[in-house]
Amino acid sequence: MRGTIGSSRVTRIVFVFTVICILFCHNAFGFYLPGVAPEDFRKGDPLNVKVNKLTSIKTQLPYSYYSLPFCRPDAIVDSRENLGEVLRGDRIENSRYVFKMREPQMCNVVCRLKLDAKTAKEFKDKIEDEYHVNMILDNLPLVVPIPRTEQDSPVYQLGFHVGLKGQYSGGKDEKYFLHNHLSFTVKYHKDQQTEAARIVGFEVVPFSVKHEYEGQWSEDTRLMTCDPHAKRTVSTSSSPQEVEDKREVIFTYDVAFEESEVKWASRWDTYLLMSDDQIHWFSIVNSLMIVLFLSGMVAMIMLRTLFRDISKYNELETQEEAQEETGWKLVHADVFRPPNNSELLCVYVGTGVQFLGLVLVTMIFAALGFLSPSNRGGLMTAMLFLWVLMGLFAGYASARLYKMFKGTEWKKIALRTAFLFPATVFSIFFVLNALIWGQKSSGAVPFGTMFALVFLWFGISVPLVFVGSYIGFRNPAIEDPVKTNKIPRQIPEQAWYMNPIFAILIGGILPFGAVFIELFFILTSIWLNQFYYIFGFLFIVLVILIITCAEISIVLCYFQLCSEDYLWWWRSYLTSGSSALYLFLYAAFYFFTKLDITKPVSGVLYFGYMLIASYAFFVLTGTIGFYACFWFTRMIYSSVKID
């Protein structure tokens, strides 16, 4: 009767889930992502260029565009930004650059600026730190095409440099030159049936030119160095614009329109072009070799050694030799004894389940195209909301394990699950944000956004953790397959290679080895301001990571039990979780070999954020290893006959 009721309940759940999937699939044809819907422009329609933050890979501190004395519009209007954009330091505002669709312009004067000692120093500091200017047109970021000799397609650099350092021929003093003339190219795809067109590319070539004119400056003054009437354009042979006190700077721009065969739906392909896919495939093959090696070891243990042990133990039950038990069966009365600090283990396991759900769902949405770079800030926003929603599963997992350990105060374990990891991360984040705020960077999270983060945490995540814990604690406790003695068994002296610290450190190498090549590209995209949109490769690497963590934990757990050491609970978590240590060490290696960060504040930011990432990786991989060993030990001890 109970089996019939359970089967009926499962059938209802499957039916409801199927209906929900059908509804989502039906509605999937009728939506578009905010901000990425196509927009048609007819000839003469205004094109408003928006400016974004100034970025530098040397300082990692973004600044708003108007933190420098660039030409300002009459009124600066901030664009509406999502949570992810604000956390990334984006500050999208209007500008004085206005084009007209398919109407080329030459030598448009934006404004004239007289530098003083303060403004000259501001420009010099940003040029010294190699800051880039970022602009947006129709949701496309501005890029500088850099030709490649071996391939036809160029490499795209996000944004253009504020300026550059150089020397005059024959001179020894290093000068600072400002990019004050921008030669824009807007690429469009024209509809064959109508006059409408869609923008598919936004490129620029920056120039530094000392503009000259005759007489007194006025709005009608014609430049001698750049004249649309005389068809005189700016070239690299022009005298550059120095950045010095009391120097005059005139900002100008050209606009050219170029028809393209690229359709609107494919306009991001050139931005996301992956020229090093062979390296990614090498990473996949390398990781698969690790998985095959571990799978072979697990298969040998499971099919040969383990089955032989189980058959041997079950035969000995009818013989006098049963009194001389050896190996992993000898510790059957202690193997499920609750570990020290069992509450902390429950908290970390619950947090790991929360992270695993977050990562899996994020990967699925990213692979389906929902988190494309065209949806600016979408990835970070989605991860924040998914983290909050996954609190339900965190509370459930921690409470279920806590009840198995004979715990009774489920509210206390729910509270610790809701606060331990987030409070640690938030504390580090708050300190880093204070440092960014002290540098007057736009990357500092505003008070309103900080309040929104706290509300997501206390208002949604914490209640969901408590709901999950309540549901998990109400369910029947997980029963151990064997009974546990009241008096713990003494653990014999272990061989040197079974030392806990040594075994844990060895266990973390293979999971890290499965992901370190892909990790290089992730760090490059984050810290060198490049796009990362190869979630297909990343999903494969994630699957390989899960398998590797599970298998290495099972192998080392089996060896530990065979040496009559039954303290496997924490070691199973730390074995695969120790890969986070190698991740942090690799991040330090990457910092000193690939980055050109010299400012102390920027170095603290880098290591602070990588510490948060490593901590999250520890929780994720540790939970995977724990559950693999948990399933393994329950399986083997439920397979032998024990009096």
Side-chain angles (χ1 to χ4, degrees), residues 263-533:
K263 295 184 178 180
W264 186 89
S266 305
R267 66 177 186 166
W268 277 89
D269 292 354
T270 53
Y271 290 81
L272 308 176
L273 181 64
M274 187 178 62
S275 59
D276 44 17
D277 55 342
Q278 292 183 350
I279 300 177
H280 291 277
W281 283 117
F282 172 76
S283 170
I284 299 297
V285 173
N286 172 67
S287 302
L288 284 175
M289 294 301 293
I290 295 175
V291 169
L292 290 175
F293 169 73
L294 283 174
S295 299
M297 292 189 66
V298 172
M300 181 182 67
I301 291 173
M302 299 289 288
L303 298 178
R304 295 186 59 187
T305 310
L306 194 58
F307 284 174
R308 184 184 61 195
D309 289 347
I310 292 174
S311 301
K312 176 183 175 182
Y313 291 150
N314 289 338
E315 289 176 2
L316 290 176
E317 285 298 325
T318 59
Q319 303 174 10
E320 295 180 358
E321 290 89 339
Q323 299 175 357
E324 301 178 2
E325 295 176 346
T326 57
W328 54 268
K329 187 186 177 185
L330 190 61
V331 295
H332 66 83
D334 297 276
V335 73
F336 292 105
R337 186 181 305 279
N340 296 327
N341 298 317
S342 59
E343 292 183 2
L344 185 61
L345 179 62
C346 296
V347 170
Y348 271 114
V349 169
T351 306
V353 170
Q354 189 174 9
F355 251 109
L356 184 60
L358 160 70
V359 172
L360 288 175
V361 176
T362 302
M363 287 294 121
I364 294 173
F365 275 91
L368 293 175
F370 287 91
L371 304 179
S372 166
S374 61
N375 186 19
R376 192 175 294 102
L379 177 61
M380 187 169 293
T381 304
M383 292 180 69
L384 279 172
F385 280 99
L386 283 173
W387 165 263
V388 169
L389 296 177
M390 290 297 166
L392 183 71
F393 300 97
Y396 180 85
S398 60
R400 289 284 285 160
L401 189 61
Y402 179 67
K403 191 171 184 179
M404 192 189 77
F405 290 150
K406 306 297 188 293
T408 57
E409 301 178 4
W410 69 271
K411 293 180 181 179
K412 182 174 71 172
I413 207 69
L415 192 67
R416 295 181 67 179
T417 304
F419 282 94
L420 180 62
F421 181 85
T424 304
V425 172
F426 188 82
S427 300
I428 299 174
F429 174 74
F430 188 82
V431 173
L432 297 178
N433 191 67
L435 292 175
I436 299 173
W437 179 80
Q439 297 294 313
K440 299 180 180 179
S441 167
S442 66
V445 177
F447 175 78
T449 306
M450 192 71 76
F451 178 79
L453 293 176
V454 173
F455 173 76
L456 287 175
W457 179 13
F458 284 85
I460 302 177
S461 180
V462 173
L464 284 178
V465 171
F466 270 85
V467 170
S469 297
Y470 175 75
I471 296 173
F473 200 78
R474 283 195 62 187
N475 286 345
I478 302 173
E479 296 183 1
D480 298 331
V482 291
K483 293 182 179 180
T484 301
N485 289 340
K486 294 182 178 180
I487 302 176
R489 180 185 180 86
Q490 185 175 359
I491 300 174
E493 185 177 351
Q494 301 293 302
W496 65 270
Y497 52 84
M498 291 306 297
N499 181 276
I501 297 178
F502 178 80
I504 288 170
L505 292 178
I506 290 296
I509 294 177
L510 290 180
F512 171 75
V515 301
F516 86 96
I517 295 179
E518 204 63 34
L519 179 64
F520 170 82
F521 293 100
I522 296 175
L523 292 178
T524 300
S525 67
I526 294 174
W527 300 107
L528 295 183
N529 198 26
Q530 297 180 11
F531 283 122
Y532 183 89
Y533 193 63

Side-chain angles (χ1 to χ4, degrees), residues 29 39 64 96 133 168 270 313 380 433 468 470 610:
F29 295 101
E39 187 173 356
S64 65
R96 293 189 63 172
V133 178
Y168 288 111
T270 53
Y313 291 150
M380 187 169 293
N433 191 67
Y470 175 75
M610 291 312 302

